[in-house]
């Protein structure tokens, strides 16, 4: 009998994972925020995933943190700023050697969760898949991609990667997951805040090449200083490639701000600036970028952390 996949958070990525695991006949349960959200979910008869214009509803069982039953495997699919508290609410149900898969973007939240549960195995993930919520309990699979999974403390891959294979979730076990997460964080820091400040699509950053190049140089210094030289390699050329390849897109941070949603700034640019401060590394342009972004968020009445 397969171990149940408990999915914490029925947003974009949580739904994308839960729907595909359920479709493959694997046992899945969704953990929702509270009884109000559970009641709302129950009227929807399940999670709907829209793929290439076709919608399918999967009747995944919903529950809340105070439901009974132990949790052996938990997919944490909430935002970075919610992860610690959401996991804390479930601590009493987690078996001591539980496995957690952390889908959060950026850095900082994964270590915070791992420190909270020293006996559990925390697997970090970095995903290029894209999904968005069309409405509650209905998610559109917008961009095919890949998910890298890894555990910096134990390089042995878990057996349940077979479940991902069966569910058609493209993935790879990575022995350098931290390098991948740092690299993604650096790409994000070089692109996303500027798209918010200039209110533009990624491609329009081609008009701000000098500023992008200066940020890339500072970010590369930071990566070297943090023991991540591989993540620093050819950073500027990859940033330029991403800007070109995604020219017509609005960055996730731009979309959060446009939708008046809280951003994950503390786990992206904020994390980078804190790491620089810890290493007494002066990165004036990166710090200035953070100050400008914080001002912009505050001016719009959005949280600046
Ligand atoms: P999202 O759509 O906002 O979903 C987050 C979900 O977490 C929401 O459904 C929210 O519940 C739920 N949640 C928050 N606190 C909770 C709690 N205490 N108990 C239960 N549920 C709780 O976010 P997302 O886009 O899936 O992003 C999740 C993470 O993946 C982020 O770090 C993001 O950067 C990363 N990521 C996303 C994508 C993407 O394409 N979406 C791609 C790569 C990486 P409510 O519905 O009640 O608010």
């Amino acid at each position: 009998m397969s171990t149940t996949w408990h999915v914490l958070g029925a947003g974009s990525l949580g739904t994308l994972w839960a729907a595909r695991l359920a479709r493959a006949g694997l046992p899945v349960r969704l953990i929702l925020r509270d009884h109000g959200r559970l009641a709302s979910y129950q009227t929807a008869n399940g999670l709907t995933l829209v793929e290439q214009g076709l919608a399918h509803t999967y009747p995944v069982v919903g529950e809340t943190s105070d439901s009974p039953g132990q949790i052996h495997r938990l997919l944490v699919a909430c935002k970075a700023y919610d992860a610690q508290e959401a996991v804390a609410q479930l601590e009493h149900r987690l078996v001591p050697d539980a496995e957690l898969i952390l889908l959060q973007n950026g850095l900082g939240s994964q270590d915070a969760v791992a420190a909270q549960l020293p006996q559990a195995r925390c697997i970090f993930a970095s995903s290029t898949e894209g999904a968005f919520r069309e409405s509650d309990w209905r998610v559109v699979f917008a961009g095919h991609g890949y998910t890298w999974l890894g555990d910096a403390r134990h390089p042995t891959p878990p057996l349940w990667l077979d479940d991902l294979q069966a569910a058609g979730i493209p993935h790879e076990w990575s022995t350098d997951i931290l390098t991948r997460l740092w690299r993604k964080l650096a790409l994000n820091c070089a692109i996303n805040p500027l798209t918010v400040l200039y209110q533009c699509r990624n491609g329009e950053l081609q008009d701000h090449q000098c500023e992008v190049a200066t940020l890339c140089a500072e970010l590369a210094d930071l990566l070297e200083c943090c023991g991540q030289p591989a993540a620093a390699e050819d950073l500027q050329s990859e940033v330029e490639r991403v800007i070109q390849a995604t020219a017509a897109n609005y960055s996730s941070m731009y979309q959060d701000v446009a939708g008046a949603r809280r951003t994950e700034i503390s786990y992206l640019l904020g994390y980078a600036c804190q790491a620089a401060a810890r290493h007494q590394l002066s990165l004036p342009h990166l710090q200035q970028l953070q100050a400008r972004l914080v001002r912009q968020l505050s001016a719009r009445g959005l949280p600046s952390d």
Side-chain angles (χ1 to χ4, degrees), residues 7-16 30-34 37 63-65 76-90 102-106 109-110 125-133 136-137 139-140 142-143 146-147 184 188 252 256 261-262 264 267-268:
V7 176
L8 176 57
S12 310
L13 278 199
T15 298
L16 186 57
L30 264 185
I31 302 172
L32 303 168
R33 194 187 277 279
D34 53 33
R37 295 295 283 156
E63 57 178 62
T64 60
S65 59
V76 182
C78 45
K79 289 281 172 68
Y81 47 75
D82 281 328
Q84 233 183 315
E85 197 185 319
V87 169
Q89 286 168 350
L90 286 175
L102 307 174
L103 289 180
Q104 288 60 50
N105 208 355
S109 71
Q110 301 91 338
S126 176
S127 184
T128 57
E129 291 195 310
F132 65 88
R133 267 201 268 196
D136 266 354
W137 327 119
V139 165
V140 178
Y146 232 80
T147 302
K184 193 170 175 204
N188 186 301
S252 54
D256 280 341
R261 291 185 298 268
R262 183 175 174 184
E264 294 182 300
Y267 302 87
L268 296 160

Side-chain angles (χ1 to χ4, degrees), residues 80 104-112 124 177-186 223 228 264-272 274:
Q104 288 60 50
N105 208 355
L107 281 164
S109 71
Q110 301 91 338
D111 281 341
F124 297 6
I177 191 69
L178 286 178
T179 303
R180 285 196 176 278
L181 285 164
W182 268 109
R183 176 74 161 196
K184 193 170 175 204
L185 178 140
L223 292 169
Q228 295 293 335
E264 294 182 300
I265 176 180
S266 293
Y267 302 87
L268 296 160
L269 189 53
Y271 186 88
Q274 266 184 15

Side-chain angles (χ1 to χ4, degrees), residues 201-221:
R201 292 176 200 262
N202 292 355
E204 288 163 57
L205 295 185
Q206 282 161 342
D207 300 340
H208 302 276
Q209 258 173 1
C210 265
E211 197 169 5
V212 171
T214 309
L215 288 173
C216 286
E218 289 193 357
L219 285 161
D221 285 350

